[in-house]
Amino acid sequence: MALIVQKYGGTSVGNTERIRNVAKRVAAYRADGDQVVVVVSAMSGVTDGLIRLAKEITPLPSEREMDVLLATGEQQTIALTAIALQTLNVPAVSLTGAQAGIVTDGVHTKAKIQNISPAEVHRLLDEGNVVIVAGFQGQSFSGQITTLGRGGSDLTAIALAAALKADLCQIYTDVDGVYTADPRLVPNARKLPEISYDEMLELAGSGAKVMQLRSVEFAKKFDVVFEVRSSLNDHPGTIVKEETSSMEDVVVRGVSLDKNQAKLTLFGVRDEPGRAARIFRGLADANINVDMIVQNVSHEGGIRQTDISFTVDKPDLLKARQVIDGLKPEIGFKESVADESIGKVSIVGVGMRSHSGVAAKMFDTLAQAGVNIEMISTSEIKVSVVIAADKGDLAMRALHHAFLE
Ligand code: ADP
Ligand code: ASP
Ligand code: MG
């Protein structure tokens, strides 16, 4: 008898017929004698719809109330999935994140899991139930409802698999696995049979939303091997696991595009020690993640000054502007300009460690495609560039063609 954690994303539970299909799949595993814990997302579009409603009232709603609101999406699907299983005569019990013992810190909308007390889940499993847990949500030490960031149901599943010491963790989604690029944008993309945690981390951090970044961090830290596969068929998916030596033979494993970033530039910052520290301390204190940073020194009237550009997630842009404008008297910059029409394309692969000329080939390919590069950043296994948003798809296809076809 195996203990299996299965996570079903928004499209996989997007209507009642799909929920019935999920129930059938779960029932089949259980009929084979396995214990099954199911983690579900909100039905597709529900979380976005709730965010839209709040923003109709105010552009910057209270983060505590957003968590109370968004947690309702997953609460609908756990009950519907339990009802669908019960209809198949499979005993099933739904649990909210709090009921499942998921304890988080108190950072609303981006909470981190602190610990999981799985006693109740074990008790219900031992009684013969399928346990359906609401993804994306938890409860803080002080009893507040929290959520784990967009795509956070992936994290719920992986953290539960670790806490329950599950034999298998399966992430069911609307594509057959992890591809060399988003198959919806790059028709020639190929499904990967396997990928290392580090490559999946870099892809997830660069816009490949097939897995939430923090869920992959968690999987790597606790060595949770998991499979990404389709809820719509029985094809084998992609295994995400620790790197093996043969993985280095491939220079570029995948290409990704992130359209969810915005760039903020502060013009005319005085070039003195401590200015950058003050800016990024202010953003960090507001829990805003900064991705790329570029600083250019210039001279005006004999005074050295700098322009500082950085990127943040689009939903954080308004908050970032508020922080920056609040610091204006202290930092003394001339003006701040936001640019939301940017895209970030990245190439990722552990083979980059042992191959040279990868960045040069990337820049050549982009030049030939007529794509201008605005910012560059690299890690040991990734090269990312910021470009104009409307060139994103073109750039991605050109890079996929150059490195992966
Ligand atoms: P779920 O609702 O199941 O969590 P998501 O929409 O969050 O699913 O993630 C699945 C989507 O991720 C796919 O439909 C696909 O368009 C997108 N995607 C982006 N990059 C990739 C990639 N490299 N491989 C597979 N899918 C990708
Ligand atoms: N419903 C949440 C979202 O749309 C969490 C998830 O789907 O994983 O981001
Ligand atoms: Mg997702």
Side-chain angles (χ1 to χ4, degrees):
M1 183 180 70
L3 171 53
I4 306 178
V5 174
Q6 299 186 333
K7 176 258 173 176
Y8 293 89
T11 315
S12 306
V13 292
N15 56 43
T16 47
E17 197 194 321
R18 292 238 165 115
I19 291 176
R20 280 182 208 266
N21 283 337
V22 166
K24 278 190 208 143
R25 188 184 292 269
V26 173
Y29 274 92
R30 192 170 170 281
D32 283 346
D34 297 322
Q35 290 189 319
V36 191
V37 174
V38 180
V39 174
V40 285
S41 291
M43 294 164 85
S44 56
V46 166
T47 309
D48 287 337
L50 292 168
I51 294 173
R52 219 176 302 120
L53 283 178
K55 297 225 158 143
E56 275 176 25
I57 301 174
T58 171
L60 257 180
S62 135
E63 290 176 338
R64 179 190 183 279
E65 301 311 326
M66 285 311 287
D67 278 352
V68 176
L69 180 66
L70 297 192
T72 63
E74 272 68 13
Q75 204 166 323
Q76 293 178 349
T77 26
I78 50 169
L80 291 170
T81 309
I83 291 167
L85 276 160
Q86 289 161 5
T87 311
L88 299 176
N89 292 318
V90 176
V93 179
S94 66
L95 297 177
T96 64
Q99 288 173 324
I102 297 173
V103 179
T104 71
D105 62 20
V107 181
H108 286 294
T109 78
K110 291 178 188 166
K112 289 206 169 74
I113 294 180
Q114 298 296 307
N115 65 66
I116 297 186
S117 319
E120 180 64 359
V121 177
H122 275 307
R123 192 186 66 75
L124 290 166
L125 285 173
D126 291 344
E127 277 181 15
N129 295 291
V130 170
V131 180
I132 325 267
V133 179
F136 176 56
Q137 54 173 265
Q139 189 176 36
S140 71
F141 291 110
S142 64
Q144 307 294 314
I145 296 173
T146 53
T147 64
L148 310 175
R150 295 306 305 267
S153 301
D154 295 334
L155 177 57
T156 306
I158 284 175
L160 268 174
L164 294 165
K165 301 191 173 55
D167 301 294
L168 206 59
C169 178
Q170 301 173 319
I171 307 289
Y172 286 91
T173 183
D174 55 6
V175 284
D176 283 3
V178 180
Y179 281 66
T180 48
D182 186 339
R184 297 184 201 287
L185 302 180
V186 179
N188 292 339
R190 283 175 286 113
K191 183 174 72 181
L192 296 162
E194 59 178 22
I195 185 170
S196 69
Y197 290 129
D198 286 338
E199 289 168 326
M200 192 65 247
L201 265 177
E202 293 283 18
L203 284 175
S206 319
K209 73 163 185 164
V210 62
M211 285 302 299
Q212 188 216 27
L213 173 63
R214 279 165 50 189
S215 72
V216 187
E217 283 169 357
F218 200 103
K220 179 178 155 84
K221 189 163 167 196
F222 293 97
D223 204 12
V224 180
V225 175
F226 62 95
E227 182 185 11
V228 180
R229 54 185 298 176
S230 172
S231 66
L232 309 169
N233 59 49
D234 288 320
H235 301 165
T238 302
I239 306 289
V240 187
K241 60 178 195 181
E242 198 47 76
E243 188 177 326
T244 56
S245 55
S246 66
M247 286 180 177
E248 280 223 9
D249 298 343
V250 176
V251 183
V252 173
R253 181 92 47 207
V255 179
S256 60
L257 171 64
D258 190 350
K259 292 182 176 169
N260 193 36
Q261 298 239 315
K263 183 172 78 173
L264 253 173
T265 303
L266 309 191
F267 290 101
V269 180
R270 240 173 304 146
D271 190 21
E272 288 169 5
R275 300 277 152 173
R278 188 67 197 94
I279 294 167
F280 293 104
R281 169 56 46 212
L283 294 165
D285 287 346
N287 289 306
I288 296 167
N289 292 326
V290 173
D291 182 23
M292 288 195 199
I293 304 173
V294 169
Q295 172 172 304
N296 290 314
V297 178
S298 61
H299 291 261
E300 204 181 282
I303 301 168
R304 265 170 69 97
Q305 50 184 26
T306 70
D307 299 338
I308 299 180
S309 294
F310 56 90
T311 61
V312 296
D313 287 344
K314 255 184 205 162
D316 280 340
L317 179 61
L318 212 56
K319 202 160 101 175
R321 286 210 82 157
Q322 267 190 351
V323 170
I324 292 301
D325 291 340
L327 287 173
K328 191 168 183 181
E330 212 180 311
I331 311 171
F333 58 90
K334 290 211 178 82
E335 60 167 338
S336 67
V337 175
D339 182 358
E340 286 193 74
S341 44
I342 60 161
K344 183 176 79 170
V345 270
S346 309
I347 54 173
V348 171
V350 288
M352 276 182 210
R353 290 195 204 111
S354 46
H355 290 77
S356 56
V358 180
K361 180 170 171 184
M362 180 186 195
F363 303 155
D364 270 344
T365 306
L366 292 172
Q368 272 163 31
V371 178
N372 187 43
I373 298 172
E374 295 179 24
M375 294 167 112
I376 300 172
S377 80
T378 61
S379 80
E380 204 189 359
I381 64 162
K382 180 187 74 172
V383 186
S384 298
V385 298
V386 167
I387 58 174
D390 59 1
K391 298 273 180 163
D393 294 2
L394 169 76
M396 196 157 148
R397 283 191 206 118
L399 291 171
H400 193 273
H401 185 72
F403 286 101
L404 287 153
E405 289 169 30

